[in-house]
Each structure stands twice: as C-alpha cells, then as structure tokens.
Amino acid sequence: MEKIQMDKPLVELDGDEMARVMWALVKEKLICPYVDLRTEYYDLNVKRRDETDDSVTVRAAEAIKRWGVGVKCATITPNAERVKEYGLKKEWRSPNATIREILDGTLFRAPIILRNVVPAVRFWRKPIVVARHAYGDIYSGVGLRFEEAGEAEIVYRSVSGREIRVKLPALKGSGVIQAYHNLDASIESFARASFKYALMNGLDLWFGAKDTISKVYDARFKEVFSRVYEEEFKEEFQRRGLNYEYYLIDDAYSRVMRSEGGFVWATKNYDGDIVSDMVASAFTGSLALMTSELLSPEGYYMAEAAHGTVQRHYYRYLKGEKTSTNPTAIIFAWTRGLKERGKRDRVNELVAFSEALEEAVRRTIEEDRIMTQDVARVAEQPVSMVATTEQFIEAVKRNMEKLSRKKPFDE
Ligand code: NAP
Ligand code: MG
C-alpha cells in the first residue's frame, strides 16, 4: 500500500513523561505506517524549554501561525517540586498559556463518545463541546475586605484623562468587595472563535449569560456575540441550517441537562471553569476520553489531549512496569490535527485516514471490548480485556489493518 502524501506539514509539539512515551508509540504504530508524515517538530519537553529559556514554546506557537495547524503533546507546567526534580532554572509558565496568548485562541473541550461508556445524563447522545473564555472576570479581579460601614465607588480614568465613577450600594457594616473587567477585543475574539469552531464542526452554538441582572457587564457579552453573529456568521449559519441561541445562563444550564447534545456551549470564564470539568466527568468519567482543541479568530488550530503527562504512570513505566495508560485522547489529537490539515489542503485521503483511525479506536473499545483500566472502570460490561498501553495500540492497529483492506483511504 502506498503511503498518503501530505501537502503541507503539521506543527508537532512534543512533550513530557508518559504522554511523550505514548506520543511516540502512536506515531510509530498507527500513523507512520499509513502516512508519509511531514511535521515541523518542536520539542517542548521541560528540559528543552529550560535550556532555551522557553523560547522553543514561542517558536512553536509562531510556527502554528505560519502553517495553520498544530498537534501538541501534554507538557509539564513546572512548580517548585518539578524545578527540583528536573533541575530547572525556574518555574516556567504553562506552555499552553503561552501558546494561547500568542495565538489569541479559545479552548474547546470535546468528549469522545463510545457506545459502551454511557453518559451520566441519560439524554446525552451527541457531544457537548465546552468553549471557555480564558480572559478576565474574577480570574484577574481585585478584592478587598472592609471592617466597618462606609461607601465605595469604582473610578475609571482613561489615557486621555476622562473619568467615570459609579457608586456601590451603601455599605452598612463590615464585608467584602470585588471588581473585575473584560475587554471588547477579547470578548470579540472569543465570540469569533466560537462561531468559527461551530461552523467547522457543523454544530449549533449556545451562549449564556445573565444580562437581565448584569445590565452592563453580561449585557456587553450578549451584544458582542449578537453583533459578531449578525455581521459575520449569520448567512453561513443559515445556509448550513445551524443556529445561534442566546439563553439566560440558568436556562442554559437546565437546557443542557435536558438536551441530547450536539452543540458548542460558549461560556464565560467562570462558567467554563466549572462546566468543562462537570461535562467531562458526566460524559465519560475519564480524562483520556476527552480532546482539547485550540482555535483562534484568525483560524489557527491546535489539537491535544485534555489530560496531562500522567506522571504517576510514568514513574511506574520508568521502573520497567507495564502500564495501562490510555492513548485514546492522544490518538484523537493526531487524527483531529491530520484531518484539519487534510481539509485545508484538500488532501481527502488524509481526512479519510483520520476518520478510519478514529473508527478503529471505537471498534477496539465498543466491539472487541478491549480497553485500558480507566475505561474498563466506567464501561458497561462485558469487558473482554483490560489492556496495557501497547496491547491497546496493537488492538487498534489490527482494526486499522482490517479497515484499510476493506476500503483504501483514497476514496
Ligand atoms: P494528569 O496527567 O491528567 O493525570 C491525572 C490522573 O488522571 C492520572 O494519575 C490518572 O489517574 C488519570 N489519567 C490521566 N490521563 C490518563 C490516561 N491517558 N490514561 C489513564 N489514566 C489517565 O494530571 P496531573 O497528574 O495533575 O498532572 C501531571 C502533569 O501534567 C503536571 O506536571 C501538569 O503540569 C501537566 N499537565 C499538562 C497539561 C497539558 O499539557 N495540557 C494538562 C494538565 C496537566 P490514576 O493515576 O488514578 O490512574
Ligand atoms: Mg475547572
């Protein structure tokens, strides 16, 4: 069989620990036998970031701007313990934060749905993709405590010397105050990335806020979403039969629980913090069945697994033990990246290959009922084999061979 040729390279960001081990295995066993893989490779393992004073992370993000599409392995975000463990110069920033900032990207978390892993919410049949705004609100808020009755106001002073003041309600005793902000440009980027992602995936978009109560702040979010939709996306949405819906946030929560899924849920920073973890746990109960995609308003795209470097398993691996670490989300990071590459370059074989590889994973878990321990714990019975990482990848490979014999990827 001839290997699939790529038109342009994918930007590949390698990472750390067990995720790095699985990253190499997935490439060797499941991708390189079928695809003449072209990547622009950046090694983001923590030692390399340390040696380059983290410039490798910045260069990798710039490369994604150049080529449009990247795939990323999980990386260590160093804390004091990690600095000691790896003998680092300092606690480098989270690579994901650096990349998100350079690309001005929004994160989309999507569950990998399997027939034998039943969501905790019985109505859910299709994915609910959570998009979290990652700027401002309480995350860059300021607060103060006061000890007696008094008064408070917010004073805004512009660069040109304009002043606006608003008073808080009378403070009748001791208490607390918090103030926070957001920027129109950031809200707009978030809205644009959300609409773009929904279009790319043929999904409706929901956005929820509390504009009835928060008549300035949340109302601004609602306005921006509505304007970006009307001016830039409405026509395309209508042509594709897709919908944009604004709901009051409490209504949004309850509709999500009653829905069958199949939409992108754009959330303000705090809602997203909470519901991304809740939706993930309710869908699959395993972080290894969750992908994470970054999309910028300009259309830069990066796919990764939602989980981290799986440090505990890595220590066992280093001792020579066989671990049952799940490579599913890493496989899907590759398939999503390759699929996006294929779509943009009109290399249909690459799109077909990505879909086949996802199907091979599904058949392994749903039909062969071969799975790693994290999935075996949450799957419906029967489970025919609790596999090590290598055994699982071999089983996926067998399904891949069957699929590629039945229908070569050039169709
Ligand atoms: P983690 O790597 O996601 O692992 C947490 C636990 O979840 C594991 O110990 C394991 O549970 C389970 N798990 C996660 N992925 C799994 C998989 N593929 N297969 C089976 N089980 C899996 O999170 P962490 O331990 O908090 O963080 C470790 C390192 O990853 C940290 O240095 C952190 O900075 C980094 N991190 C990176 C990213 C990223 O690059 N996007 C994201 C998160 C964390 P059991 O041990 O119970 O089996
Ligand atoms: Mg959270």
Side-chain angles (χ1 to χ4, degrees), residues 327-339:
T328 298
I330 288 178
I331 298 172
F332 274 63
W334 276 101
T335 57
R336 298 291 154 94
L338 287 168
K339 189 173 180 176

Side-chain angles (χ1 to χ4, degrees), residues 22 72 74-77 82 96 287-288 304 307-310 312-313 325-326 373-374:
M22 294 194 287
K72 181 180 172 290
T75 45
I76 291 170
T77 297
R82 297 298 213 163
N96 287 56
L287 268 181
E304 61 170 345
H307 61 76
T309 63
V310 213
R312 296 198 326 148
H313 294 210
T325 321
N326 189 351
Q373 43 79 32
D374 57 311

Side-chain angles (χ1 to χ4, degrees), residues 25-144:
L25 267 177
V26 166
K27 257 169 67 174
E28 181 202 325
K29 304 274 185 193
L30 299 176
I31 298 179
C32 290
Y34 308 97
V35 179
D36 198 0
L37 188 64
R38 280 180 66 193
T39 72
E40 191 167 303
Y41 180 86
Y42 292 85
D43 194 350
L44 264 58
N45 90 68
V46 73
K47 291 292 278 182
R48 183 83 192 121
R49 279 180 275 144
D50 198 55
E51 282 160 23
T52 63
D53 290 341
D54 211 16
S55 72
V56 64
T57 308
V58 175
R59 281 184 283 120
E62 297 295 344
I64 295 177
K65 280 190 167 174
R66 224 164 27 247
W67 293 111
V69 184
V71 283
K72 181 180 172 290
C73 179
T75 45
I76 291 170
T77 297
N79 54 14
E81 272 167 37
R82 297 298 213 163
V83 167
K84 224 157 108 200
E85 182 184 359
Y86 285 92
L88 308 175
K89 293 178 202 157
K90 64 177 219 184
E91 290 182 27
W92 300 104
R93 283 187 75 193
S94 147
N96 287 56
T98 303
I99 295 165
R100 197 163 56 222
E101 209 172 271
I102 293 173
L103 300 182
D104 186 20
T106 299
L107 260 193
F108 297 84
R109 267 229 217 167
I112 297 166
I113 295 195
L114 298 161
R115 262 205 321 270
N116 49 343
V117 179
V118 180
V121 179
R122 65 193 152 88
F123 309 114
W124 291 356
R125 306 232 181 296
K126 301 177 194 161
I128 295 169
V129 182
V130 176
R132 174 182 171 187
H133 186 207
Y135 179 82
D137 297 1
I138 60 167
Y139 301 87
S140 51
V142 291
L144 66 80

Side-chain angles (χ1 to χ4, degrees), residues 1 4 30 34 331-332 335 349 351-368 393-411:
M1 196 183 71
I4 298 164
L30 299 176
Y34 308 97
I331 298 172
F332 274 63
T335 57
E349 299 90 334
V351 176
F353 164 80
S354 301
E355 283 167 1
L357 183 48
E358 292 187 5
E359 177 61 21
V361 173
R362 283 206 183 86
R363 288 189 182 185
T364 304
I365 301 174
E366 291 178 349
E367 287 165 26
D368 305 341
I393 289 177
E394 283 306 327
V396 173
K397 169 106 185 151
R398 284 197 294 277
N399 278 315
M400 201 54 192
E401 290 297 317
K402 280 186 217 158
L403 284 167
S404 66
R405 269 198 298 276
K406 213 161 72 189
K407 181 169 167 283
F409 307 124
D410 53 5
E411 287 168 20

Side-chain angles (χ1 to χ4, degrees), residues 109 132 272-274 276-277:
R109 267 229 217 167
R132 174 182 171 187
D273 186 351
I274 296 162
S276 59
D277 290 354

